[in-house]
Amino acid sequence: MRESKSAKLNQLQEDNHQNVHLSPSKLAKLFDPDASWDKDQLGDVLHWIRQVVGLICGLLWGSIPLVGGIWIILFLAISSGIVYGYYAMILKVDEEDFGGHAALLQEGLFASLTLFLLAWILVYSLAHF
Amino acid sequence: MATTIPLFASFKYADSLTVVGISICTALVCEAISWILIYRTSSYKSLKYSIDKAAKKLETMKTENPSSKLSIKKSKTKKIDRVETSLKESSRDLSLFKFKSGAVVALVLFVVFGLLNSLFEGKVVAKLPFHPITIVKKMSHRGLKGDDPTDCSMAFLYLLCSISIRTNLQKFLGFSPPRGAAGAGGLFPMPDPKTN
């Protein structure tokens, strides 16, 4: 009993580690509307999409530079639009199976906002002063 | 090293890189401590496994028996309640377990913040590309002289670094709290507070 539970825990750990590394099959799954998604898996993918968008926007807007609070609102809109477009149009998932639009759209939102602000502030400060 | 110092010295706000660098190192040290004290222990692994299992079971049961169905059996409702109670108990145990071990990490963060404060008190470490709202300005202009609202203090930059770097590091290493745990996620998911 203990051994089977320990084996299950180890398998769970291995699965978590495997999720970090992207194999060709996993990359293909990211764009496959017929693929089946676990709530955790989809949540993680949406989280990382948000982080990448946040980082790119921060680096880009700090370089140009774009100045003003309106660009924060715009970032939130762009980031949310990309995430929505990904799960609704590319993956074509039923959001009700994953807790609704709110649950999917809030994945990684705050972390991406802080990452965006950090990148924006750093690039702006270092490149333009 | 000698060649990099003149390179960074040419940046007016090179101190921001120091703050970010120290934040990254602190995040790595904190996660290492958390791994030693929390994540590698069998108690944590079994609690996380229980929570994941209970959350998935609950989701399946609720999907099969949506609350709108009037004909839901009493036994099913009792079963759902039982699983929910088990989930809440496991989440509470997990929080308690992490809280005890999180004190060490909290101490490290406290010391690092104190060190940064002593190094950069009163210094403008970065420039904000926007005018912050009043609540944000209290943090972003903390300890700074003058009225320029776009001057950024160490505290605000460190806060941004802490949240973004630690959250993503925890996510990358697989140390984020399980989604099924009570209080996990939400609109503003912070780095796991029990390890802060």
Side-chain angles (χ1 to χ4, degrees):
Chain A
M1 177 76 170
R2 272 191 194 170
E3 281 173 1
S4 63
K5 205 172 183 181
S6 163
K8 277 181 188 171
L9 286 173
N10 287 336
Q11 182 62 44
L12 205 66
Q13 264 189 318
E14 274 178 29
D15 289 342
N16 282 338
H17 283 296
Q18 277 171 9
N19 284 339
V20 173
H21 306 290
L22 287 173
S23 60
S25 59
K26 283 185 179 158
L27 275 170
K29 187 183 174 181
L30 291 175
F31 300 99
D32 183 7
D34 295 325
S36 63
W37 287 91
D38 181 59
K39 195 175 182 179
D40 286 341
Q41 288 173 333
L42 183 60
D44 288 347
V45 168
L46 296 181
H47 172 97
W48 289 115
I49 287 174
R50 278 234 192 235
Q51 307 317 302
V52 169
V53 171
L55 189 63
I56 291 172
C57 285
L59 294 174
L60 198 65
W61 295 354
S63 314
I64 294 172
L66 296 174
V67 176
I70 190 74
W71 295 107
I72 299 174
I73 312 290
L74 213 70
F75 157 71
L76 289 171
I78 290 172
S79 169
S80 300
I82 288 172
V83 165
Y84 173 79
Y86 177 69
Y87 74 73
M89 293 172 199
I90 295 178
L91 291 186
K92 294 186 178 120
V93 297
D94 183 4
E95 67 279 356
E96 291 306 319
D97 295 337
F98 298 93
H101 287 296
L104 292 173
L105 287 173
Q106 62 87 21
E107 283 288 345
L109 177 63
F110 192 58
S112 75
L113 177 62
T114 53
L115 184 62
F116 158 73
L117 287 174
L118 183 67
W120 190 21
I121 292 168
L122 278 178
V123 175
Y124 177 68
S125 304
L126 294 170
H128 300 286
F129 290 91
Chain B
M1 188 71 180
T3 53
T4 57
I5 291 171
L7 176 69
F8 288 139
S10 64
F11 292 119
K12 184 178 177 185
Y13 294 109
D15 287 338
S16 59
L17 294 173
T18 310
V19 174
V20 172
I22 291 174
S23 294
I24 291 171
C25 294
T26 308
L28 289 168
V29 166
C30 288
E31 289 313 305
I33 293 172
S34 298
W35 182 77
I36 291 167
L37 295 179
I38 303 170
Y39 302 124
R40 67 170 186 164
T41 61
S42 53
S43 312
Y44 172 79
K45 285 178 191 172
S46 64
L47 276 171
K48 189 166 183 280
Y49 175 74
S50 304
I51 289 169
D52 282 337
K53 196 177 163 190
K56 282 189 168 76
K57 195 175 179 181
L58 194 66
E59 212 179 302
T60 314
M61 287 165 83
K62 282 186 174 175
T63 311
E64 285 169 2
N65 300 293
S67 53
S68 57
K69 271 193 181 175
L70 296 171
S71 58
I72 187 168
K73 287 183 185 174
K74 209 174 176 181
S75 60
K76 287 279 182 186
T77 316
K78 273 189 178 175
K79 214 174 177 184
I80 289 172
D81 286 342
R82 226 181 5 249
V83 174
E84 267 180 351
T85 308
S86 164
L87 181 62
K88 280 179 190 165
E89 280 173 6
S90 298
S91 301
R92 195 192 59 224
D93 291 342
L94 183 72
S95 292
L96 199 63
F97 179 73
K98 284 173 147 184
F99 182 77
K100 291 177 198 170
S101 309
V104 177
V105 172
L107 183 67
V108 169
L109 289 170
F110 183 76
V111 166
V112 169
F113 185 77
L115 171 74
L116 283 171
N117 211 33
S118 64
L119 284 173
F120 299 110
E121 195 173 2
K123 268 186 166 183
V124 178
V125 299
K127 207 79 171 140
L128 300 177
F130 55 91
H131 284 238
I133 55 175
T134 314
I135 301 167
V136 175
K137 194 184 165 188
K138 281 188 179 359
M139 173 72 85
S140 68
H141 212 263
R142 187 173 173 271
L144 298 180
K145 291 173 190 160
D147 292 325
D148 188 350
T150 60
D151 285 342
C152 181
S153 68
M154 177 281 301
F156 185 63
L157 198 67
Y158 183 64
L159 178 72
L160 291 179
C161 289
S162 294
I163 296 171
S164 57
I165 294 169
R166 290 201 68 210
T167 305
N168 286 309
L169 188 61
Q170 284 177 357
K171 196 82 176 175
F172 182 74
L173 296 173
F175 295 162
S176 296
R179 278 191 178 78
L187 193 57
F188 298 108
M190 303 287 280
D192 193 359
K194 297 297 177 295
T195 57
N196 276 348

